[in-house]
């Protein structure tokens, strides 16, 4: 159960807490509620540790001591009948730490079973919002940009591929925009920009993997942030049942953190979706 492959094929990194033990008062029987017993919990947090590994900063990862505190708080907290419920509560809390997915095993080695046995466990895996297929289909906004190797054709071909990934899609007109470059960086050729809105049943990370596949197919080389590019597809906004999915995960930040400052995104978006909203505010 431990391996989790992310959309795009990469194996997720793991932070594992094993054998966390405390007395709890969970169980169906009165004696269990009265006397309590030991519960042991194993947790696997599926995440990406590469930024923390490179920067050596605790803020870039999930603090395992905080995760352990949460688990103990739930085990020693409000009693429930079933270890299934306990596992569900722990998984839910662990997803709140920013993990992409979690595996939780709850052990109840002193369970009231009138036979010789060593342990009884429940193990569950729960996916966070970035990995969960949406229900109903999500409304998404994708920014398209190119300023290398015949940008008009790059945008046209990229949009054609994107249209096969999305449903009920609608594309803005393309426009030529002056390149916004990072401070101190050399100027760049003009961009061709457009926005496509549509629906998807892909999870946010699965959609991002599709966007990156299309970028890669069009010869995108990722070297310089804000560098010139053959094709750039940014996931601007992802809404399920009108609720915007929010994420501060650097691998997929939602809504896109710079979109609201970019007229080359907001103008074409307003053209195809005049009632559109970003962080609850009308876009025009
Ligand atoms: N909303 C998002 N849409 C697309 N990529 C995102 C998003 N949030 C985070 N990313 C991450 O950003 C990384 C760098 O993306 P990219 O090279 O397209 O950045 P950029 O185009 O140079 O800058 P910008 O995001 O400001 O347009 C990607 O590998 C991706 O994981
Ligand atoms: N006009 C324009 N400027 C940009 C664009 C873009 O798509 N259009 N994309 C950037 C990084 O993605 C940086 N600057």
């Amino acid at each position: 159960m431990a391996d989790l492959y992310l959309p795009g094929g990469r194996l997720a990194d793991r932070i594992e807490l094993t054998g966390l033990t405390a007395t709890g008062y969970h169980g169906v029987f009165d004696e269990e509620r009265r006397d309590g017993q030991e519960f042991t919990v194993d947790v696997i947090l599926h995440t990406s540790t590469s930024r923390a590994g490179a920067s050596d900063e605790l803020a870039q990862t999930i603090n395992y001591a905080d995760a352990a505190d949460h688990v103990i708080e739930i085990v020693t907290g409000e009693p429930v009948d079933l270890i299934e419920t306990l596992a569900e509560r722990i998984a839910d809390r662990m997803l709140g730490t920013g993990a992409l997915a979690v595996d939780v095993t709850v052990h109840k080695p002193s369970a009231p079973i009138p036979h010789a046995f060593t342990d009884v466990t429940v193990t569950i895996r729960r996916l966070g919002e970035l990995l969960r297929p949406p229900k109903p289909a999500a409304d998404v906004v994708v920014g398209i940009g190119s300023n290398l190797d015949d940008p008009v054709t790059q945008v046209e071909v990229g949009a054609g591929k994107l249209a096969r990934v999305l449903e009920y899609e609608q594309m803005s007109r393309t426009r030529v925009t002056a390149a916004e470059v990072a401070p101190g960086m050399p100027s760049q050729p003009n961009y061709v920009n457009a926005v496509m809105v549509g629906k998807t049943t892909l999870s946010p990370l699965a959609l991002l993997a599709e966007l990156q596949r299309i970028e890669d197919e069009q010869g995108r080389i990722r070297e310089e942030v804000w560098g010139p590019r053959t094709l750039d597809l940014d996931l601007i906004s992802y809404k399920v049942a009108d609720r915007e999915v929010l994420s501060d995960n650097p691998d997929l930040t939602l809504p896109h953190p710079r979109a609201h400052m970019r007229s080359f995104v907001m103008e074409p978006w307003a053209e195809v979706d005049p009632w559109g909203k970003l962080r609850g505010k009308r876009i025009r």
Side-chain angles (χ1 to χ4, degrees), residues 78-231:
E78 187 198 2
V80 293
D81 282 353
L82 306 179
I83 50 176
E84 286 84 343
T85 314
L86 199 55
E88 207 67 61
R89 289 186 174 188
I90 293 168
D92 196 49
R93 186 79 75 86
M94 290 296 103
L95 288 175
T97 64
L100 293 173
V102 300
D103 296 347
V104 176
T105 298
V106 176
H107 304 251
K108 191 178 179 186
S110 307
I113 298 174
H115 303 286
F117 76 106
T118 46
D119 200 2
V120 55
T121 65
V122 163
T123 298
I124 63 173
R125 168 169 290 176
R126 293 294 176 264
L127 303 179
E129 208 167 20
L130 292 186
L131 285 173
R132 260 197 319 259
K135 251 195 201 148
D139 288 293
V140 299
V141 179
V142 178
I144 309 173
S146 168
N147 72 341
L148 270 186
D149 298 345
D150 188 3
V152 171
T153 306
Q154 296 288 353
V155 168
E156 207 173 274
V157 173
K161 291 176 178 169
L162 181 57
R164 286 194 284 281
V165 170
L166 300 180
E167 292 153 43
Y168 305 107
E169 75 288 345
Q170 211 188 334
M171 162 97 164
S172 74
R173 284 181 293 113
T174 55
R175 55 257 283 150
V176 176
T177 63
E180 289 183 17
V181 294
M185 297 303 282
S187 61
Q188 289 179 28
N190 285 341
Y191 273 81
V192 172
N193 283 113
V195 159
M196 190 177 281
V197 298
K199 287 194 178 283
T200 187
T201 51
L202 297 174
S203 70
L205 278 174
L207 177 58
L208 180 70
E210 286 295 302
L211 302 185
Q212 292 179 340
R213 175 185 61 78
I214 297 171
E215 288 178 347
D216 292 345
E217 279 176 12
Q218 287 187 229
R220 168 80 183 266
I221 299 164
R222 291 165 206 287
E223 32 191 31
E224 195 186 315
V225 174
W226 286 28
R229 65 267 325 268
T230 46
L231 187 66

Side-chain angles (χ1 to χ4, degrees), residues 51 208 211-212 215 220 222 224-227 229 232-236 249-258 262:
R51 281 187 181 76
L208 180 70
L211 302 185
Q212 292 179 340
E215 288 178 347
R220 168 80 183 266
R222 291 165 206 287
E224 195 186 315
V225 174
W226 286 28
R229 65 267 325 268
D232 186 28
L233 297 175
D234 286 338
L235 183 49
I236 305 299
N249 186 319
D251 290 328
L252 180 53
T253 309
L254 289 172
H256 189 288
R258 290 167 289 284
R262 293 177 162 174

